[in-house]
Amino acid sequence: MHLETAGDERGEPLLFLHGTGPGATGELSFRPVLPALATYRCLVPDLVGFGRSDHPETVPDGPGPWFAHRVDAVVRLLDELGLDRVHLVAHSYGARVALELMLRSPGRVGRAVLVAAGGTPVKAALSTLTDFYRDPDEPAMRRMVAAQLSRGDPDEGYVRERLAVAVRPEVRRSFRAAMAPGEPMPTYDPTVLAGVGHRVLVVHGKDDRTIAPTAGLFLAEHLPHADLHLFAACGHLVQYEVPTRLGSMVREFLADRP
């Protein structure tokens, strides 16, 4: 896994798990909020099949096998770094990975912040992502990013950087393989969520058209120790629309002592 780092090397480790979509990477996903969390040892990987991480050809097509492979790779990354326990900040698909980590290896996770989280029974609207590769050019990337914002035009630098990643042949192949028909990913229902004992901050944009805010409400209702914050006038990319407020909220949540 390709890993970017930021913040204080001596700080508590904070692992960032990015979402899916053509051209997604860890650093691109979380760049706006990293300055607010500079007292932490920020670990920002590209999940397998994204960006500069490996693009394996042996993983079977379908969401389920790719999800399992990515979760395994995150665990191996923590092993390689010698980290017994980390806090998590996870966005969209990354929140699904975070939930799996909390269930599979609960002792390795401290607290978790789930932003615009996937993994619930609330169905995501992914057509703007899957349609991108029909004509993968700059206008298509701009439309895809704009669909995940609630207001204003996308940052042109972000659009160009993400497009440059998305059009790489191996990135395109991995995305299509992971989105192909096949074994589905797990969905976390109330019975499963009841077994998560971690403190969790659930954050969602009220104008999210990719994963409706009812997903955040679902998690807040069924995770035993979850707080919920809904940001008005925010879409799916909360970290780009309110980076300062989100960063402050994450910092306060992680530092709070019961």
Side-chain angles (χ1 to χ4, degrees):
M1 294 179 74
H2 174 78
L3 178 67
E4 298 280 349
T5 59
D8 186 347
E9 290 185 358
R10 299 162 298 178
E12 286 187 271
L14 181 56
L15 178 66
F16 293 78
L17 300 170
H18 67 81
T20 189
T25 71
E27 195 276 334
L28 271 175
S29 293
F30 294 109
R31 181 187 296 167
V33 298
L34 292 177
L37 299 167
T39 59
Y40 289 88
R41 180 187 175 189
C42 298
L43 307 168
V44 194
D46 296 347
L47 295 175
V48 170
F50 289 96
R52 286 185 277 177
S53 286
D54 283 350
H55 294 267
E57 299 185 24
T58 56
V59 179
D61 286 355
W66 277 84
F67 176 74
H69 190 76
R70 286 164 175 161
V71 174
D72 289 343
V74 171
V75 174
R76 291 197 301 272
L77 174 66
L78 297 182
D79 291 341
E80 181 70 21
L81 295 173
L83 296 173
D84 295 327
R85 183 174 175 274
V86 297
H87 299 305
L88 303 177
V89 176
H91 177 247
S92 192
Y93 180 96
R96 188 189 289 266
V97 176
L99 287 167
E100 185 67 21
L101 288 173
M102 286 187 279
L103 288 163
R104 181 191 299 189
S105 303
R108 305 201 73 166
V109 178
R111 297 183 182 184
V113 181
L114 307 182
V115 183
T120 74
V122 177
K123 187 173 177 60
L126 300 179
S127 60
T128 57
L129 306 182
T130 56
D131 289 350
F132 168 79
Y133 282 116
R134 292 181 179 178
D135 191 10
D137 56 14
E138 189 168 319
M141 179 60 74
R142 190 178 295 108
R143 288 192 298 272
M144 187 187 77
V145 174
Q148 297 190 332
L149 298 170
S150 68
R151 60 188 187 276
D153 296 323
D155 178 82
E156 290 301 313
Y158 174 79
V159 169
R160 288 192 294 271
E161 284 187 81
R162 190 160 171 178
L163 176 65
V165 177
V167 296
R168 288 167 46 190
E170 71 276 19
V171 171
R172 180 173 184 165
R173 178 180 55 77
S174 292
F175 180 81
R176 285 184 158 173
M179 299 295 287
E183 180 186 340
M185 292 180 286
T187 298
Y188 301 99
D189 63 21
T191 303
V192 174
L193 294 175
V196 176
H198 305 75
R199 284 196 62 186
V200 177
L201 174 62
V202 179
V203 178
H204 223 99
K206 291 178 72 174
D207 297 336
D208 192 334
R209 299 187 297 274
T210 302
I211 300 177
T214 49
L217 294 170
F218 182 90
L219 288 172
E221 181 179 1
H222 297 293
L223 287 168
H225 308 289
D227 297 327
L228 171 67
H229 187 91
L230 295 176
F231 278 105
C234 275
H236 192 61
L237 296 176
V238 178
Q239 64 271 41
Y240 271 84
E241 299 202 80
V242 286
T244 303
R245 293 170 64 194
L246 177 62
S248 297
M249 183 174 293
V250 172
R251 189 172 64 244
E252 180 179 341
F253 170 73
L254 294 178
D256 179 50
R257 297 295 178 235

